[in-house]
């Protein structure tokens, strides 16, 4: 199975400042199509997960442009250009290249 | 508005059975694969099962294979998760999510972009 390792597990952030988190895979998630089969989801406190980024770098509909996804192969990054208070929650990466699909353990973002 | 509404969660004894439902609205249901994801208390997300739009392909996590069966009724815009031989580690909130879109012979993946609110299963 593909193992995704996220870091850091906890990320204290300051509103207005940038933030960045990592997702590393033990196998390449680069599909022959050229897309990287990794998504990013945010689960706000008490809510269902919501899609932020799909196939590595594509922002989902309605997602603010302060969120961006990058990386290729085994190393991926989610960046928030300027954190807002509403961005708190747990961020998960997930690979959709292989079955079983697998999630990272999550990065918890909190306001300092 | 595209929506998913799960139901069927309950408190059930170990070894028991339960069927979860996920009713969809606001989109052409049969053109989308659907997925169940669960979250144990205080834990992360775990993929459980995915079914193709017409139900011909179904995939399961090893942790539920042989015990859970995912199915769909496109006439009712509903997917199901039939769970048997339930164990304590099946205790979780179960979410359904919209998945891969099939248009004609082409597949399009835009992420799991619509999620339900979840339904809670407690095995105790």
């Amino acid at each position: 199975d593909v193992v995704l390792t996220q870091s850091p597990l906890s990320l204290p952030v300051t509103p207005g400042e940038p933030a960045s988190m990592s997702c590393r895979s033990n196998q390449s998630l680069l599909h022959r199509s050229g897309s990287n089969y990794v998504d990013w989801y945010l689960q706000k406190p008490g809510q269902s997960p919501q899609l932020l980024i799909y196939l590595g770098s594509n922002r989902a509909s309605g997602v603010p442009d302060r969120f961006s996804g990058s990386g290729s192969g085994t190393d991926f990054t989610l960046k928030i250009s300027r954190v807002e208070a509403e961005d708190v929650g747990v961020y998960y990466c997930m690979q959709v290249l292989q079955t079983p699909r697998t999630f990272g353990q999550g990065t918890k973002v909190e306001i300092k | 508005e595209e929506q998913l509404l799960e139901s069927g969660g309950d408190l059930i004894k170990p070894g028991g059975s339960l069927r979860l439902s996920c009713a969809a609205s606001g989109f052409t249901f049969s053109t989308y694969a659907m997925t169940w994801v669960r979250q144990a208390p205080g834990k992360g997300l775990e993929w459980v099962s995915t079914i193709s739009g017409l139900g011909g392909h179904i995939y399961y996590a090893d942790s539920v294979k042989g015990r859970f069966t995912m199915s769909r009724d496109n006439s009712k815009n509903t997917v199901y998760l039939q769970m048997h031989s339930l164990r304590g580690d099946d205790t979780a909130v179960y979410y359904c999510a919209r998945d891969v879109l099939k248009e004609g012979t082409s597949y399009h993946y835009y992420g799991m972009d619509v999620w339900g609110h979840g339904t809670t299963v407690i095995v105790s």
Side-chain angles (χ1 to χ4, degrees):
Chain A
D1 296 359
V2 175
V3 176
L4 300 180
T5 302
Q6 292 187 241
S7 62
L9 297 182
S10 178
L11 181 59
V13 297
T14 301
E17 294 296 307
S20 176
M21 62 197 78
S22 169
C23 175
R24 288 189 169 176
S25 173
N26 68 339
Q27 301 178 36
S28 177
L29 301 180
L30 180 61
H31 188 262
R32 61 181 181 273
S33 65
S35 294
N36 286 279
Y37 275 39
V38 64
D39 300 338
W40 290 92
Y41 296 87
L42 165 60
Q43 188 173 31
K44 296 182 179 181
Q47 296 186 17
S48 303
Q50 60 186 85
L51 174 68
L52 295 176
I53 303 289
Y54 64 94
L55 297 181
S57 60
N58 298 280
R59 206 176 301 116
S61 176
V63 173
D65 61 7
R66 64 178 181 274
F67 290 94
S68 63
S70 63
S72 186
T74 60
D75 291 333
F76 300 91
T77 300
L78 179 70
K79 293 181 180 178
I80 310 173
S81 60
R82 287 191 305 275
V83 172
E84 296 189 5
E86 65 182 23
D87 299 336
V88 299
V90 181
Y91 290 76
Y92 295 94
C93 58
M94 183 188 78
Q95 66 83 20
V96 293
L97 184 65
Q98 294 183 14
T99 302
R101 293 180 175 181
T102 47
F103 288 90
Q105 67 271 60
T107 291
K108 187 173 184 179
V109 170
E110 306 171 297
I111 299 295
K112 281 183 184 175
Chain B
E1 182 188 1
E2 299 151 332
Q3 287 190 329
L4 298 171
L5 184 62
E6 303 95 333
S7 61
D10 205 347
L11 171 62
I12 190 87
K13 287 181 168 34
S17 298
L18 201 60
R19 189 178 81 159
L20 307 182
S21 300
C22 170
S25 60
F27 61 95
T28 307
F29 181 68
S30 63
T31 63
Y32 286 89
M34 297 294 294
T35 288
W36 287 98
V37 171
R38 68 183 180 183
Q39 186 171 37
K43 302 296 184 183
L45 302 174
E46 180 188 15
W47 172 80
V48 173
S49 182
T50 297
I51 189 169
S52 61
L54 298 183
H57 301 279
I58 311 173
Y59 308 91
Y60 298 99
D62 285 346
S63 58
V64 306
K65 201 173 293 183
R67 300 187 300 122
F68 290 12
T69 301
M70 188 173 184
S71 62
R72 64 191 297 158
D73 184 340
N74 286 344
S75 70
K76 296 181 178 179
N77 286 359
T78 301
V79 291
Y80 304 98
L81 189 65
Q82 178 68 55
M83 304 185 292
H84 295 294
S85 304
L86 282 161
R87 313 185 301 222
D89 59 0
D90 295 317
T91 294
V93 176
Y94 286 73
Y95 299 100
C96 65
R98 190 172 77 171
D99 207 303
V100 176
L101 168 65
K102 185 179 181 185
E103 292 181 318
T105 57
S106 299
Y107 294 90
H108 306 280
Y109 182 68
Y110 302 112
M112 296 195 293
D113 61 344
V114 181
W115 292 68
H117 59 86
T119 188
T120 300
V121 174
I122 300 174
V123 183
S124 178

